[in-house]
Amino acid sequence: MSSVKVINVWQCTPDAEETFEQELKKLVDISVTEDGCICYEIYQPKNQPNEYVMIEEWQNEAALDHHQNSSHYKHFIRISPVLQDKPAQIKQLVRLV
């Protein structure tokens, strides 16, 4: 069974950058300790202070499902829309080779 990667791109409202970044960091701090988490990192494109890219990698679909049902993930999903400029772009990837 191959690992699963997820790439998330968020754009928060200009006045919510600090709050959004704090919430992302909380999500990462807890998520990296979960069983099945291989990688959970946040990046920011240069010169785009209100855009965030998160790259996650999970051992398998079950680990990702467990993460998406966790209280910390649900908390982030519940609060993030009010901080965003537009809906998140989320792509779930499966390695081919």
Side-chain angles (χ1 to χ4, degrees):
M1 189 178 290
S2 63
S3 66
V4 179
K5 279 198 181 199
V6 181
I7 297 175
N8 306 281
V9 179
W10 291 289
Q11 187 170 346
C12 69
T13 58
D15 61 333
E17 292 168 20
E18 186 176 328
T19 302
F20 194 75
E21 193 169 310
Q22 288 172 357
E23 292 298 330
L24 276 175
K25 287 179 180 178
K26 283 190 234 176
L27 178 63
V28 170
D29 287 346
I30 298 169
S31 298
V32 297
T33 67
E34 288 182 72
D35 287 339
C37 181
I38 297 170
C39 171
Y40 211 93
E41 301 173 321
I42 304 172
Y43 297 90
Q44 193 165 45
K46 286 186 176 183
N47 303 318
Q48 291 180 291
N50 65 327
E51 186 170 299
Y52 300 87
V53 177
M54 181 177 288
I55 300 173
E56 314 171 34
E57 186 172 7
W58 298 91
Q59 287 178 345
N60 50 44
E61 286 279 342
L64 176 59
D65 289 344
H66 179 75
H67 166 67
Q68 291 176 334
N69 285 304
S70 67
S71 59
H72 57 277
Y73 178 83
K74 288 180 178 181
H75 168 77
F76 182 78
I77 294 302
R78 186 176 61 251
I79 64 155
S80 63
V82 297
L83 303 171
Q84 293 176 346
D85 230 5
K86 58 185 178 181
Q89 297 174 351
I90 300 171
K91 297 186 186 281
Q92 185 173 330
L93 310 171
V94 177
R95 182 179 220 153
L96 297 179
V97 283

